Amino acid sequence: MASATAAAAAEDAPTEQMLYEVRRKIYPRAVSGAFARWRVWLVLATQAIFYGLPWFQWNGRQAVLFDLAARKFYLFGLVLWPQDVIYLTVLLVLSALGLFLFTAVAGRLFCGYACPQTVYTEIFMWIERHIEGDRFARIRLDGERWSLRKLRIKAAKHAAWVLIALWTGFTFVGFFTPIRDLGTQTWTLALGPWQTFWMLFYAFATWGNAGFMREQVCRYMCPYARFQSVMVDPDTYVVTYDTQRGEPRGSRSRNADFEAQGLGSCVDCSICVQVCPTGIDIRQGLQYECIGCGACIDACDQVMEKMRYPRGLIRYTSERAMRDRLSPQQARRHLLRPRVLIYSGILMALFIGFVVALVMRQPLKVDVIRDRGALAREVDGGKIENVYRLQLMNASERPLHVTITAEGMPELDVQGGGGESTTLELPPAANRLLPVRVRRPADDAAPGSHKIHFVIHADNGSDSLVLREPSSFIVPR
């Protein structure tokens, strides 16, 4: 009776539920195979671009430089100004649509092969395996009491991690400050406070995320893991365990007739779990933590070969193909479905428009700003004068010979303010604010606002350009 009362009281007692799972350290096991080779090549390719691009020169300057101080972005032969933010917007839309398309076709390929978190985690794990050993060696080392040997191994690993993190932070800042100057300033300890802050901040983020947090970033910080489920459907290719073939799982000898024992092809070795960088068991179905790296596929195929079973117990396929037992050819026919075609069509249209806009982009940009302090005034000689400021931006790599005139009213005379000429040389990638005075006789001008156009002739030696920028000329009453 007392035990029943105690049980009832225990059921009625309030329970506590953890909102955050206590982290269980994951020791991924090294694996080889086709997907592992793809990861190696993509890590090398992405890092060759990241580390090498700032050192590449173009027309005597850094090829890719986001010069925030000068408010100019250099992308090879392009010079982008703040007024060109539309190009950045379209580029971000293209990236988002591309991610949607790839996810609809083959799941989280970006996460498994090209995401910076995955890439740097792979690099740090390579260093960890080289210094500490593979999975079981690392487990034993962490279980040991601290000693001089353990301290030496851990210090060597973290020293290598910190060096890579610092070089990564240096390269990141090198996209915003000319990296050759940045290297000289770093060597002479002459870095500015903001350069020092961002270099150390990015290095610390790389060291912490890739060295310690790892799968926690994918699980709790990355929003993509949460909304990917709305972008996949039964025809999306994902990493899938063949339940019909693998179950019921169980251990057996290689020469045993497992079908006679009522077993499936899965030998329950758990190697697919041991190689997973996020520590999930793919045999429990697709989970949001799965980054689609394919490590479990490589591991399972090796086990199947040792057992002399067909490969593909874990493979890239679709839910429909697994459910309806479709062949690979039949499954691929379902890839071109409405969602994929719509994404592809929008992506192609935006990309073509983006390329056409870049090709047709004018090398000269002009903004006309009225002088609000003196809209209109009468000057000597019976003339009316309006004052403007012209913002001239050379968006090309060649100097421009610029001539400024005005039209829209009779006898408009354009003069540079402060004795400046309305014919000038605009250096490559230069920005100039030019004060301009426009005059005309006052005798026959009707009071009010009159529409005029500034006509800007630009010549770079081989091509010429004419821009007509609207403005207004005010005649006082």
Side-chain angles (χ1 to χ4, degrees):
M1 184 71 174
S3 60
T5 304
E11 290 180 359
D12 295 337
T15 59
E16 294 184 359
Q17 182 176 2
M18 297 293 291
L19 297 179
Y20 179 83
E21 179 185 2
V22 177
R23 183 174 186 251
R24 173 180 55 87
K25 187 173 181 180
I26 297 174
Y27 298 86
R29 181 173 177 172
V31 65
S32 60
F35 294 100
R37 287 192 294 272
W38 272 108
R39 284 198 304 278
V40 170
W41 281 112
L42 283 169
V43 167
L44 295 176
T46 55
Q47 297 317 290
I49 294 173
F50 175 73
Y51 291 117
L53 199 55
W55 298 95
F56 187 70
Q57 297 292 296
W58 187 278
N59 290 337
R61 60 159 175 80
Q62 190 168 315
V64 178
L65 177 64
F66 306 106
D67 193 344
L68 298 179
R71 294 180 295 178
K72 286 184 288 189
F73 288 179
Y74 298 96
L75 297 175
F76 298 96
L78 289 176
V79 182
L80 301 178
W81 296 85
Q83 291 83 349
D84 295 318
V85 68
I86 183 63
Y87 295 106
L88 177 60
T89 303
V90 174
L91 189 61
L92 292 176
V93 172
L94 285 172
S95 301
L97 284 174
L99 188 63
F100 295 164
L101 174 61
F102 298 148
T103 304
V105 172
R108 296 177 65 180
L109 281 181
F110 174 77
C111 294
Y113 296 93
C115 174
Q117 175 64 21
T118 300
V119 167
Y120 286 106
T121 298
E122 284 287 334
I123 294 173
F124 275 42
M125 286 197 300
W126 292 343
I127 295 172
E128 190 173 56
R129 292 190 190 108
H130 181 73
I131 296 176
E132 294 186 356
D134 202 3
R135 170 183 166 84
F136 297 108
R138 298 199 305 275
I139 293 175
R140 286 195 302 269
L141 181 66
D142 285 352
E144 293 177 5
R145 302 180 65 178
W146 280 99
S147 62
L148 185 61
R149 170 182 170 274
K150 182 175 180 178
L151 181 62
R152 185 181 69 252
I153 293 174
K154 293 290 185 180
K157 178 185 75 172
H158 283 280
W161 282 0
V162 168
L163 285 176
I164 291 178
L166 287 173
W167 185 250
T168 303
F170 171 82
T171 303
F172 174 77
V173 177
F175 280 97
F176 301 90
T177 299
I179 198 166
R180 296 171 188 263
D181 298 339
L182 185 67
T184 302
Q185 294 170 6
T186 303
W187 181 257
T188 58
L189 302 179
L191 285 174
W194 283 110
Q195 294 168 330
T196 303
F197 170 79
W198 284 111
M199 188 181 301
L200 295 178
F201 177 83
Y202 199 80
F204 176 77
T206 303
W207 177 68
N209 289 346
F212 296 94
M213 299 183 69
R214 294 187 178 176
E215 79 286 348
Q216 300 295 294
V217 175
C218 302
R219 280 184 159 191
Y220 302 110
M221 297 174 63
C222 178
Y224 181 53
R226 300 293 180 174
F227 64 74
Q228 64 156 337
S229 59
V230 303
M231 293 188 289
V232 301
D233 55 37
D235 293 307
T236 300
Y237 269 54
V238 292
V239 178
T240 309
Y241 168 68
D242 192 340
T243 306
Q244 298 182 36
R245 176 185 159 190
E247 299 296 323
R249 70 187 76 153
S251 59
R252 80 294 301 271
S253 67
R254 185 169 64 178
N255 297 322
D257 185 356
F258 67 92
E259 293 181 347
Q261 299 176 10
L263 297 175
S265 296
C266 179
V267 300
D268 202 17
C269 60
S270 77
I271 291 180
C272 58
V273 181
Q274 296 176 24
V275 301
C276 179
T278 59
I280 66 169
D281 188 346
I282 195 62
R283 297 172 297 180
Q284 297 176 4
L286 181 64
Q287 299 143 69
Y288 78 90
E289 298 94 339
C290 178
I291 61 174
C293 65
C296 55
I297 299 178
D298 288 333
C300 186
D301 283 346
Q302 292 176 7
V303 173
M304 293 296 102
E305 289 178 354
K306 291 179 181 178
M307 296 297 295
R308 299 172 185 167
Y309 297 167
R311 294 159 58 104
L313 179 60
I314 302 176
R315 61 185 183 271
Y316 257 113
T317 189
S318 67
E319 178 187 340
R320 187 188 304 276
M322 191 71 71
R323 183 188 64 223
D324 299 341
R325 314 308 294 176
L326 302 179
S327 66
Q329 294 79 9
Q330 292 173 324
R332 284 194 289 269
R333 293 194 191 105
H334 291 273
L335 288 178
L336 296 179
R337 54 197 186 276
R339 173 183 295 192
V340 173
L341 295 176
I342 292 172
Y343 284 154
S344 301
I346 297 175
L347 190 65
M348 183 61 66
L350 280 177
F351 179 75
I352 293 174
F354 181 70
V355 173
V356 171
L358 285 179
V359 171
M360 299 180 63
R361 179 171 173 263
Q362 302 290 357
L364 178 65
K365 295 182 178 296
V366 181
D367 287 334
V368 179
I369 307 169
R370 291 194 59 89
D371 188 342
R372 298 186 180 276
L375 295 179
R377 59 192 175 192
E378 293 187 10
V379 296
D380 295 339
K383 293 188 176 182
I384 298 173
E385 179 182 87
N386 283 208
V387 182
Y388 308 84
R389 288 182 297 165
L390 269 62
Q391 185 85 28
L392 304 174
M393 291 166 285
N394 186 354
S396 70
E397 296 284 347
R398 302 176 65 178
L400 292 175
H401 180 76
V402 178
T403 302
I404 302 171
T405 59
E407 63 182 24
M409 295 182 71
E411 302 182 62
L412 288 178
D413 179 28
V414 181
Q415 300 177 5
E420 297 188 60
S421 173
T422 56
T423 299
L424 66 148
E425 288 287 336
L426 194 59
N431 178 24
R432 185 168 178 180
L433 185 63
L434 181 67
V436 170
R437 296 176 300 175
V438 180
R439 295 178 177 179
R440 77 171 308 274
D443 52 3
D444 62 344
S449 177
H450 300 265
K451 185 176 182 181
I452 66 171
H453 285 85
F454 284 94
V455 182
I456 300 95
H457 296 262
D459 186 1
N460 61 10
S462 59
D463 297 315
S464 60
L465 171 69
V466 178
L467 295 180
R468 300 176 75 253
E469 291 295 324
S471 187
S472 60
F473 188 90
I474 297 178
V475 178
R477 297 184 183 276

